[in-house]
Amino acid sequence: VQRNADSHVDVLIVGAGPAGLMMANWMSRCGVKTRIVDKRGTKIFNGQADGLQCRTLEIFDSFSFGHRAWIESNHMLEICLWNPDPKTGVLARGDRIPDTIPNISRFQQVVLHQGRIERFFLDAIRENSIETGCNGEPGTKEAEIKVEHGVLPTSFQFEESAADDEDAYPLTVQLRHLTEEEATPTQKATLANGQSIVDGLFRSNLSADDTQDVINLSNSIADKAGRTETVKAKYMLGADGAHSWVRQQLGFKLEGESTDYIWGVLDIIPITDFPDIRMRCAIHSESSGSVMVIPRENKLVRLYIQLTTTNVEDGSGGKKFDRSTITPETIIASAQRIMQPYKIEYRYLDWWTAYQIGQRVGNSFSLHERVFLAGDAVHTHSPKAGQGMNVSMQDAYNLGWKVASVVKGQANCSILKTYQSERRRIAQDLIEFDHRFSRLFSGRPAKDVMDEEGISMDVFKDAFEKGNMFASGIAVDYGASVIVAKSGSAKDQGDGTEVLGDEKLRVVSSDGLATGLEVGKRMPSFKVLNQADARPWHFQELLKSNGTWRVVVFAGDIRDAAQKRRLDRLGEKLGGEDSFLRLCTPSGARYDSVIGLLSCHSAPRQETTIFDFPEVFRPWDENDGWDYWKVHVDDQSYHEGHGQAYKNYGINPTRGCSVILRPDQYISWIGEMDDYKSMDSFFRGFMVDQRTKGGAKTAIAEGSKKG
Ligand code: FAD
């Protein structure tokens, strides 16, 4: 089993759940030398998380596997709210709301179990890493990033004095390779209806962590030769779930509280007379608790059921929850009580688990920007709002490209600080949201307006509707930083800059230039046409997650002579020898591999050609001619209508504007279409001048002064 007596990697990922896999996926896209280990012997095949929010689907689409999730999943369109009828007390549908707020994304919420989602990642990681050559020669099997199952870290050291040296490997980790028996979790197999079911309790927060037991068991086996190796890493990600071993090594804490509410989860094919079983439903009974219905793929339905529970002595005078009382039978019995007079039973049970509701968030997400924590390792909460897996993947989606661009010497390490500043706030918002949402869900409905202890169903509906915006992931709005040029959250210096902590930020007023876009939020998507071949594209489809920044020039009406002059002057600067586009791109690399240039104009497509644009907008390659995929137009398509991109983005169709997008599609900067100077100074804040690479890695301090 010994892999390498002493191996050096750029990135070591601990944990191959959704967060770890998202990180490995970025590394595979960007060609970064990476290992990913997981203490479990196999991946999961059923159960666990299932809800995919629309922002997550946009992200999957940017990695080219969104369609797999979209096709295989069950789509949830409507939420039905069921409550006791105020007059009769009998359960009745009180309201319906759309499951995803209409028009916030080109995708809507879907459900598909975690095992399939992990499969999509594994396929993408294999394909990309072989292509980009992460761990060996591109195109060879050795280059592949493979999840190493049954491998876990047993010790960790950090050489703090080397933390600022970007070429150093300050992390030393001992890895232990487990036997199959050690790597297989002890699971209870339940016999239900003659069928043997493996439950998910071993991953539930009702179970203690088994990492130390696994290490102890492994220590006790006499023959350890060749089962341990030392890895030196530049960066490490702890994506090892709620009991995170990495978090414990760093001494970081999860802060928050837990409640007495216990919920059971059943994945079944239901046999029922309940009419809305294929809708997402929130069912509040008068006094027996609540059920959430999630219709799933393959005729499955997931029921989240509040349990009436039994407590036992905890040995120190207190009471603790008696886990042994939870079985699929007790869970379905709870559901039957809550859903009466409707009947529900099952012949087929796919998976089940139980969990205790609690909300906790990590006090820190990073050690010296060398070790990071993501996912459940830094935030835990109830699963009903379908957030954990989504937010966990989105943590790593935020981090991956930043680490890759620092490892590759494209950006300086100042950008890594933004991981904690951006994602810890999201985690706190998530915890607050879940706190409110799960209490509303677990409470009993109010009998009348005087019943202060009960939950008003109007308040519940309102919270559901507002919560939907948060839960979609679309509302994420990153604060000002070296890579988000927006004013307001930092100290104004009166010279066009603001100071935030120890960072000096260049701030640009984007007032009125694009009223439908917000700096700090993700780029919304509307259809535009390719100028060269008239094919319609959703704008986000042009923003693949491959590690590149994008400058998007909304060129306006280029038939207007003054506007055309502005465009030509901008083209001259962008195409110049000392343009930031060139300074940031290593010699020999493709022109759009670090910063790509996209444009979209508003003149009629049939009155223009790509040759109305300066060459930098449609670069020339001596081997394959012009690049026809950079110039777009906001115009009517033959078959898919008019995307009205300028109108929806709130951009003046004559004067246009320019927008800088991060590699994760978030808006960094909005300015006048030809404000080259400001774009240049934005990139100057953190990008590395490739002429000085190999010597001191400086930001492009003396980059183009031409502006
Ligand atoms: P995990 O998925 O926990 O992955 C951690 C990985 O690290 C595991 O593979 C583990 O084996 C490994 N590991 C742990 N310790 C070590 C170690 N010491 N060394 C090496 N490897 C280690 N979220 C949603 O978004 N939508 C939903 O609909 C949803 N429903 C849920 C339903 C249920 C019943 C449950 C229990 C959870 C649900 N969640 C949902 C939450 C979601 O499952 C988690 O938030 C998500 O899996 C977190 O991803 P992660 O990668 O951070 O951690």
Side-chain angles (χ1 to χ4, degrees):
V1 244
Q2 191 160 4
R3 201 182 129 120
N4 278 318
D6 178 77
S7 70
H8 284 70
V9 287
D10 291 323
V11 178
L12 174 66
I13 303 167
V14 181
L21 289 173
M22 174 64 87
M23 186 71 176
N25 185 40
W26 259 129
M27 298 306 108
S28 71
R29 272 313 242 130
C30 297
V32 173
K33 190 171 180 191
T34 299
R35 283 179 69 178
I36 171 167
V37 299
D38 195 293
K39 70 177 180 183
R40 299 283 176 230
T42 53
K43 62 186 278 303
I44 54 169
F45 294 102
N46 53 3
Q48 291 296 125
D50 56 4
L52 290 174
Q53 307 293 350
C54 41
R55 178 61 190 144
T56 303
L57 286 162
E58 292 179 1
I59 292 169
F60 284 4
D61 190 60
S62 76
F63 284 117
S64 303
F65 57 78
H67 61 288
R68 294 184 71 182
W70 190 244
I71 289 168
E72 280 188 32
S73 56
N74 184 54
H75 294 210
M76 294 201 297
L77 281 316
E78 191 173 85
I79 302 174
C80 297
L81 306 176
W82 284 74
N83 315 304
D85 182 278
K87 292 198 187 92
T88 62
V90 176
L91 203 59
R93 186 193 308 105
D95 227 322
R96 302 171 190 264
I97 53 174
D99 185 81
T100 304
I101 299 170
N103 303 322
I104 57 171
S105 169
R106 65 205 154 107
F107 298 106
Q108 295 88 47
Q109 187 181 190
V110 302
V111 268
L112 183 64
H113 83 79
Q114 195 169 328
R116 284 306 291 158
I117 293 156
E118 294 186 4
R119 176 79 264 151
F120 304 154
F121 273 117
L122 293 171
D123 291 349
I125 292 166
R126 188 186 59 242
E127 213 172 282
N128 295 330
S129 56
I130 291 177
E131 189 182 322
T132 57
C134 291
N135 295 342
E137 271 297 301
T140 65
K141 271 189 81 69
E142 291 66 44
E144 185 178 345
I145 299 175
K146 273 199 189 124
V147 176
E148 298 171 50
H149 283 288
V151 179
L152 88 177
T154 53
S155 79
F156 158 80
Q157 281 154 0
F158 174 54
E159 194 190 336
E160 201 175 326
S161 57
D164 294 334
D165 175 0
E166 281 168 29
D167 297 320
Y169 292 80
L171 310 170
T172 308
V173 180
Q174 293 279 334
L175 290 182
R176 173 76 51 84
H177 293 248
L178 304 175
T179 61
E180 207 178 311
E181 179 202 346
E182 291 160 4
T184 308
T186 19
Q187 280 175 286
K188 197 168 62 171
T190 317
L191 209 60
N193 295 333
Q195 184 200 350
S196 178
I197 307 297
V198 178
D199 69 56
L201 284 174
F202 74 97
R203 279 181 84 155
S204 154
N205 60 4
L206 292 174
S207 304
D209 182 33
D210 66 351
T211 299
Q212 198 50 48
D213 296 342
V214 171
I215 295 175
N216 293 346
L217 175 66
S218 179
N219 279 341
S220 69
I221 294 175
D223 170 29
K224 280 202 304 227
R227 298 184 356 120
T228 299
E229 63 167 321
T230 303
V231 175
K232 300 281 253 172
K234 284 184 175 170
Y235 297 93
M236 176 156 115
L237 177 67
D240 48 348
H243 295 298
S244 176
W245 179 89
V246 177
R247 187 187 67 231
Q248 289 168 28
Q249 301 309 300
L250 305 183
F252 296 167
K253 299 261 170 319
L254 279 185
E255 294 166 344
E257 55 181 55
S258 69
T259 68
D260 293 335
Y261 299 123
I262 305 281
W263 285 68
V265 186
L266 283 186
D267 284 346
I268 55 173
I269 295 185
I271 299 172
T272 182
D273 57 357
F274 182 67
D276 285 345
I277 199 72
R278 295 303 305 169
M279 296 290 190
R280 183 173 169 201
C281 294
I283 306 172
H284 275 89
S285 72
E286 205 161 23
S287 54
S288 306
S290 315
V291 166
M292 168 112 127
V293 177
I294 306 279
R296 307 243 331 241
E297 71 279 10
N298 298 333
K299 237 185 156 185
L300 285 170
V301 170
R302 171 166 288 185
L303 301 177
Y304 286 102
I305 304 141
Q306 194 174 353
L307 301 178
T308 39
T309 52
T310 328
N311 288 327
V312 291
E313 302 293 332
D314 68 359
S316 57
K319 297 264 185 192
K320 74 169 184 187
F321 173 68
D322 181 7
R323 230 181 85 180
S324 67
T325 58
I326 306 180
T327 62
E329 287 74 23
T330 54
I331 301 177
I332 193 77
S334 285
Q336 286 161 343
R337 272 193 301 277
I338 297 164
M339 292 175 73
Q340 61 184 326
Y342 297 100
K343 307 254 176 302
I344 183 157
E345 55 178 20
Y346 63 85
R347 304 265 179 281
Y348 177 76
L349 166 67
D350 194 55
W351 184 80
W352 70 278
T353 192
Y355 61 89
Q356 184 162 17
I357 294 186
Q359 289 89 14
R360 294 196 163 83
V361 65
N363 60 347
S364 178
F365 280 33
S366 153
L367 175 74
H368 285 280
E369 286 77 51
R370 287 293 191 162
V371 185
F372 301 92
L373 296 172
D376 279 11
V378 270
H379 40 75
T380 58
H381 46 85
S382 73
K384 274 187 307 296
Q387 289 293 289
M389 176 170 63
N390 291 273
V391 178
S392 299
M393 290 190 287
Q394 285 164 25
D395 285 345
Y397 184 61
N398 178 288
L399 178 66
W401 65 269
K402 295 174 185 173
V403 170
S405 57
V406 173
V407 166
K408 292 170 83 180
Q410 293 171 355
N412 68 40
C413 58
S414 65
I415 66 168
L416 298 177
K417 279 196 171 25
T418 62
Y419 173 64
Q420 159 143 332
S421 62
E422 293 181 342
R423 294 309 297 179
R424 187 153 187 274
R425 229 200 63 218
I426 300 294
Q428 283 166 323
D429 291 350
L430 169 62
I431 293 325
E432 269 170 42
F433 164 74
D434 191 62
H435 184 89
R436 264 179 288 126
F437 189 70
S438 57
R439 274 163 184 72
L440 282 175
F441 218 103
S442 300
R444 71 164 170 77
K447 294 193 174 64
D448 52 45
V449 281
M450 300 304 287
D451 178 5
E452 283 178 12
E453 280 182 12
I455 308 287
S456 143
M457 287 300 113
D458 288 339
V459 171
F460 183 70
K461 182 187 170 193
D462 189 52
F464 225 120
E465 278 178 331
K466 291 205 180 103
N468 266 358
M469 187 63 196
F470 175 82
S472 70
I474 301 295
V476 166
D477 182 4
Y478 293 139
S481 72
V482 67
I483 50 172
V484 177
K486 71 176 172 192
S487 56
S489 39
K491 200 159 173 275
D492 195 341
Q493 299 292 290
D495 63 351
T497 65
E498 292 182 357
V499 169
L500 183 72
D502 52 6
E503 287 179 62
K504 190 165 189 183
L505 317 172
R506 178 152 298 276
V507 174
V508 183
S509 167
S510 54
D511 288 352
L513 286 175
T515 51
L517 299 180
E518 284 179 70
V519 176
K521 290 196 168 180
R522 70 87 164 94
M523 183 74 180
S525 194
F526 300 99
K527 283 204 170 159
V528 296
L529 310 184
N530 179 297
Q531 173 64 50
D533 64 13
R535 176 170 171 181
W537 292 93
H538 246 291
F539 197 80
Q540 276 181 359
E541 291 179 285
L542 309 174
L543 309 175
K544 288 284 176 211
S545 289
N546 55 9
T548 58
W549 287 80
R550 272 126 192 152
V551 174
V552 186
V553 176
F554 287 95
D557 188 349
I558 57 169
R559 291 170 307 175
D560 178 280
Q563 185 69 2
K564 176 80 170 71
R565 270 198 303 281
R566 291 176 74 206
L567 180 69
D568 288 344
R569 272 200 303 271
L570 175 66
E572 227 173 83
K573 288 171 190 156
L574 288 170
E577 275 304 309
D578 53 358
S579 143
F580 61 84
L581 292 182
R582 299 228 172 158
L583 298 182
C584 296
T585 309
S587 75
R590 208 182 124 96
Y591 48 81
D592 57 0
S593 57
V594 179
I595 305 175
L597 189 55
L598 284 174
S599 63
C600 177
H601 68 92
S602 64
R605 179 179 61 82
Q606 296 180 6
E607 292 179 31
T608 34
T609 79
I610 62 163
F611 297 109
D612 292 316
F613 278 74
E615 184 173 331
V616 68
F617 288 96
R618 46 177 172 90
W620 167 261
D621 181 287
E622 60 181 22
N623 293 318
D624 55 17
W626 301 110
D627 186 333
Y628 296 99
W629 290 274
K630 302 281 194 242
V631 180
H632 299 84
V633 52
D634 182 22
D635 203 349
Q636 182 78 27
S637 71
Y638 281 111
H639 307 288
E640 296 175 29
H642 194 310
Q644 302 289 0
Y646 271 67
K647 190 165 157 218
N648 286 311
Y649 290 140
I651 298 172
N652 180 310
T654 307
R655 281 190 65 77
C657 75
S658 285
V659 177
I660 296 177
L661 299 177
R662 311 183 341 174
D664 56 2
Q665 304 181 332
Y666 285 81
I667 301 172
S668 280
W669 175 97
I670 301 175
E672 287 289 351
M673 186 268 267
D674 52 351
D675 190 356
Y676 175 85
K677 191 172 173 185
S678 180
M679 296 177 205
D680 181 60
S681 86
F682 170 77
F683 283 114
R684 217 191 296 161
F686 58 92
M687 290 302 266
V688 172
D689 183 342
Q690 297 300 311
R691 293 170 309 182
T692 61
K693 218 177 128 196
K697 282 181 187 164
T698 55
I700 47 171
E702 295 307 313
S704 169
K705 289 229 161 134
K706 231 169 137 191

